[in-house]
Amino acid sequence: MQRQPEPELMDAAEQAAAYASADFSAPHQFLVDQISRLLPVLPVAARVLDLGCGPADVSLRFARAFPGWQIDGVDGAEAMLKLGRAQVAAAGLAARVRLHRALLPNDPLPGAGYQVILSNSLLHHLHRPQVLWQAVRAAAAPGVAVYVTDLRRPADEGSLRRLVDTYSGPEPAVLRRDFEASLRAAFTPQEVHAQLGLAGLQELAVRELTDRHLAVFGYLR
């Protein structure tokens, strides 16, 4: 299946509200739980950058799992960030989770020298995937732990249809439509390997996590 890029920003109010209200607890918590298996050495206290944080559900899950982490979440979609800030406030974690609007690569990141860099479901939105890998390199402290998760593109239309039917279920039509578009826009593990080689990030590994997710992880010198 050939890749079909989708819009880089999900800034429509309808999309943002649908994502914020949807129940992604099982897949999001699974991805959060995997970090300790894939990266067994993680700092107890750390400055953390979450690229493409959206409405902050994953950021908040990491904050609860690692109470010593101070997390800067970054997203280009103000509609997502507005909902995310409300979620952060409701969770009582505004002192440790701060959300910033930045559209990569044009806007500056909120800082540098991060000990942990996270990203979930940003890569497939990017028309130029090197934007993500360049941001990782620019924001990293020596020895940074990197954990990037995303969808992976199915091999054919039949596989795509099975994934959409299996995981969209009773979700609103906008989520079903966006899930299909995201699967079409996602990269294969082989394509991500090539991206890392081009970025000089060969220390990072790529692994298939589920029938629809992949992870990029490792430590950078």
Side-chain angles (χ1 to χ4, degrees):
M1 179 184 295
Q2 293 295 313
R3 181 178 189 244
Q4 299 177 27
E6 64 176 348
E8 289 198 332
L9 284 183
M10 299 180 67
D11 210 12
E14 177 194 19
Q15 284 180 306
Y19 273 85
S21 61
D23 183 8
F24 293 123
S25 56
H28 283 180
Q29 191 59 47
F30 171 81
L31 296 175
V32 170
D33 292 344
Q34 294 305 298
I35 191 172
S36 295
R37 182 174 68 86
L38 299 175
L39 296 170
V41 180
L42 289 167
V44 174
R47 294 180 60 245
V48 179
L49 179 65
D50 184 2
L51 294 166
C53 64
D57 181 66
V58 174
S59 304
L60 289 169
R61 290 176 186 276
F62 275 112
R64 295 187 186 101
F66 298 92
W69 286 9
Q70 299 281 333
I71 301 175
D72 284 334
V74 173
D75 204 278
E78 185 58 41
M80 289 286 190
L81 291 171
K82 180 179 179 180
L83 293 169
R85 293 186 183 106
Q87 300 275 16
V88 170
L93 288 171
R96 291 202 295 117
V97 180
R98 295 170 296 274
L99 304 185
H100 311 263
R101 186 184 183 280
L103 182 60
L104 302 177
N106 300 320
D107 297 328
L109 293 169
Y114 290 96
Q115 290 88 34
V116 179
I117 297 179
L118 311 168
S119 181
N120 176 59
S121 294
L122 172 61
L123 182 61
H124 74 266
H125 282 288
L126 298 174
H127 296 174
R128 293 183 293 135
Q130 286 301 315
V131 166
L132 173 58
W133 306 122
Q134 290 164 4
V136 168
R137 183 172 289 286
V144 63
V146 177
Y147 181 58
V148 174
T149 54
D150 211 296
L151 295 171
R152 56 187 177 93
R153 193 168 75 251
D156 51 50
E157 290 287 338
S159 299
L160 181 144
R161 191 57 50 204
R162 284 191 294 274
L163 291 172
V164 172
D165 290 343
T166 299
Y167 296 108
S168 290
E171 299 290 355
V174 63
L175 294 184
R176 184 181 181 93
R177 181 194 68 211
D178 286 351
F179 181 45
E180 178 174 339
S182 293
L183 287 170
R184 294 184 184 280
F187 295 98
T188 66
Q190 294 77 14
E191 289 167 343
V192 176
H193 271 295
Q195 294 167 16
L196 296 173
L198 185 61
L201 299 175
Q202 294 92 337
E203 302 104 307
L204 301 181
V206 183
R207 182 174 299 175
E208 297 179 2
L209 284 183
T210 72
D211 56 357
R212 63 203 187 280
H213 295 107
L214 59 77
V216 181
F217 61 96
Y219 306 94
L220 297 179
R221 295 188 292 273

